[in-house]
Amino acid sequence: MVRAIGLMSGTSLDGVDVALIETDGERIAAFGPVGYRPYSESERDLLRAALAEGAKLNDRWARPGVLKEAEAFVTAAHAEAVETFLRDNSIADVDIVGFHGQTVIHRPELRLTVQIGDGPALARRLKLPVAYDFRAADVAAGGQGAPLVPIFHQALARGLSHAHPMAVLNVGGVANVTWVDGGDPVACDTGPGNALIDDFMRARTGLPLDRDGDQASRGRVDETFVARVLDHPFFDQHCPKSLDRNAFAFANIDLPGFTVADGAATLSALTAASVARVVPHLPATPKSWIVCGGGAHNPTLMRMLTERLAPATVETANAVGWSADSIEAQAFAYLAVRTLNDLPITFPKTTGAPQPMSGGVVARP
Ligand SMILES: Nc1ncnc2c1ncn2[C@@H]1O[C@H](COP(=O)(O)OP(=O)(O)OP(=O)(O)O)[C@@H](O)[C@H]1O
Ligand SMILES: CC(=O)N[C@H]1[C@@H]2OC[C@@H](O2)[C@@H](O)[C@@H]1O[C@H](C)C(=O)O
């Protein structure tokens, strides 16, 4: 078994998740501790500037403008996150680190996906092998390059006795689903997760999120707005499909004329409705849904998902003994070991890769 640390900095720009697992890249032998290194407001500003600059990229190796500084910051923040994690948990023996980096542009239709973060520099600083750049090979081969977590969701699901088919839903900045029925997983991004809600709250109140869905719980959903956004051709496409964080900028999510509560309720309903909208694209309707990612902490969103996915059951990852906040970091530990062992990480039905494909690059110190 390999002891692997996984690191994820997602589209929400909230911080770096850290997790340790023991695995051979197939079976999960043990879950270790988890950690988190939040970004400060000024660090988030730097990452937001990097996303704005990233949107203009057409060369995946170029680092114009603020991207050079942002990449050095991302590498340093991840190094700090691992060093603190190892110290806090008195861990000395780690075999590999899986480093996702920060996505600054994701345009698979242009065969372009860029995660900033310097894998070789992280390996040198940590004195550990680092697997990184997990999406590039898939996108170069014509795949979507996302989502990558389905093979890990499937490994997790093997430990449950839930009725199949089941679905694992990750509600991060963007949301993605893995459909599990014993055979190969089927997966895709479903639409917005928390990113639009966060952006709206920040613009209207200066707060980074609608904590516990409090505003949304008091608002009225504008179903006409939800239906209008769901008219976007993305929602008619079959799986696999993936999204850039800024894909919904067209939706005018400032929602002028909406109160804060009505806006938060409407954008939360949009997330739930876009998840329900994916069901006809899956091979069969899931009987149960397990929700992970930050959205699992939002009771209003969980209620909306339960209503819109009925009669299927909807429960949080924590409720089934997983760690809602750490699944993506655990997944990148798992993927790092698969990369090390040359096992495929993407599949025709998860990213549209032409065949099961390995991915990721290993940097040694
Ligand atoms: N208590 C809470 N109430 C409401 N929303 C919450 C709560 N806790 C977390 N969230 C939401 O979850 C977000 C963080 O989610 P997560 O950590 O899964 O994102 P991520 O790692 O950036 O995701 P991804 O890579 O999947 O896009 C926050 O920005 C916030 O919107
Ligand atoms: C390009 C990119 O970074 N995509 C993220 C994003 O955040 C959620 C969703 O969109 C998912 O497709 C992906 O992350 C997870 C970790 C994945 O690849 O499975």
Side-chain angles (χ1 to χ4, degrees), residues 8 11 100 103 106 113 115 135 145-150 170 172-176 189 242-243 328 332:
M8 180 64 189
T11 48
H100 173 266
T103 297
H106 183 66
T113 186
Q115 287 70 47
R135 301 189 194 274
L148 297 180
V149 293
N170 166 49
V174 168
N176 60 280
D189 285 354
S242 71
L243 281 170
E328 285 191 342
F332 281 95

